[in-house]
Amino acid sequence: MKGLAIRLCILGLLLEEDQHPYEMLIRIRDRFLDQHGNFKIGSLYYAVDQLAKAAYIETVETIQNEGRPDKTVYRITDKGREHFHKLLIDRFQEEVSAYHPLHVALVFAKYGDRDKVTALLQARIREAEHQVNLSYQVYEEHRGVVPRSVLHLMAGRYEHARIELTWLRRLLADAEAGRLGDRDPADLLDEDK
């Protein structure tokens, strides 16, 4: 589905206005769409070419500047609008993956070096704190600027970051206490209340 996410982004940006790929790249980065869409920004130009070959987008003009590469400006076609709506519906219906890089590692964490696991969790917590702060800052900066649907995206990112931070802190407390291998029946969720 990665290839479809970047295509949805390109078509959505072209619904806003005609653009050349570099403008799209800047907007994708500014809106963190590459992170939310889980795709590599380097695949943008390939996706633009594929959309043009399929007649979902078309060239409006080519801007030529002396000593610089040409910039091709694209617009979305009627066929592209139909494809955009199909991709949009597909994304709403897509199953959410619960994959997390720590999931498999946690099963075997009791066998790991306690000091190393603790240090790695502390580093992850620092990054998670940064993500919480960044997500909140981005949300605040965009209130009243972007459509409400985009604010929901930003609010969701912030809320997920906060939950991740809470989970990591709870995990660190058990790691520091040497409890990752324990079979203690205590309810981890009750500890947060």
Side-chain angles (χ1 to χ4, degrees):
M1 289 301 232
K2 287 184 183 181
L4 300 182
I6 195 165
R7 291 172 186 214
L8 178 64
C9 287
I10 293 165
L11 295 172
L13 289 170
L14 291 175
L15 283 171
E16 293 176 1
E17 67 179 321
D18 300 346
Q19 300 174 49
H20 58 80
Y22 186 72
E23 287 175 306
M24 294 177 209
L25 182 137
I26 297 300
R27 291 178 185 190
I28 286 170
R29 284 187 177 150
D30 285 349
R31 299 176 188 182
F32 300 99
L33 293 173
D34 52 330
Q35 294 174 22
H36 294 296
N38 193 25
F39 58 80
K40 302 288 184 208
I41 201 74
S43 60
L44 174 79
Y45 291 95
Y46 176 77
V48 166
D49 287 342
Q50 295 303 306
L51 290 168
K53 286 179 184 173
Y56 295 135
I57 63 176
E58 62 188 8
T59 301
V60 175
E61 68 176 314
T62 301
I63 302 169
Q64 298 176 339
N65 291 322
E66 194 171 312
R68 303 201 41 105
D70 293 348
K71 291 182 180 179
T72 303
V73 178
Y74 293 93
R75 73 172 154 226
I76 190 167
T77 63
D78 289 338
K79 183 178 176 184
R81 281 182 178 78
E82 289 177 25
H83 189 60
F84 166 82
H85 288 291
K86 180 194 178 311
L87 293 175
L88 184 68
I89 297 303
D90 288 350
R91 291 304 283 199
F92 269 101
Q93 293 175 337
E94 187 176 326
E95 296 283 329
V96 176
S97 170
Y99 167 78
H100 191 289
L102 289 182
H103 287 170
V104 173
L106 280 176
V107 174
F108 304 105
K110 65 183 178 185
Y111 303 116
D113 180 304
R114 186 163 122 190
D115 292 335
K116 287 181 182 177
V117 168
T118 300
L120 290 169
L121 286 171
Q122 290 168 340
R124 282 188 94 94
I125 286 171
R126 285 190 297 276
E127 177 57 26
E129 289 168 339
H130 171 72
Q131 289 302 318
V132 167
N133 293 331
L134 177 63
S135 299
Y136 186 76
Q137 179 184 352
V138 168
Y139 171 79
E140 283 296 320
E141 288 173 356
H142 289 84
R143 288 178 60 197
V145 177
V146 298
R148 198 159 170 84
S149 60
V150 178
L151 280 181
H152 278 288
L153 170 68
M154 293 173 179
R157 183 173 176 91
Y158 169 68
E159 291 166 340
H160 280 271
R162 282 185 36 219
I163 294 295
E164 175 87 1
L165 179 58
T166 299
W167 177 64
L168 288 169
R169 285 178 174 159
R170 186 175 60 226
L171 185 55
L172 175 63
D174 268 3
E176 288 175 332
R179 295 177 49 190
L180 292 179
D182 290 359
R183 294 183 185 268
D184 185 349
D187 187 348
L188 293 175
L189 300 179
D190 281 344
E191 292 178 19
D192 291 333
K193 294 179 183 174

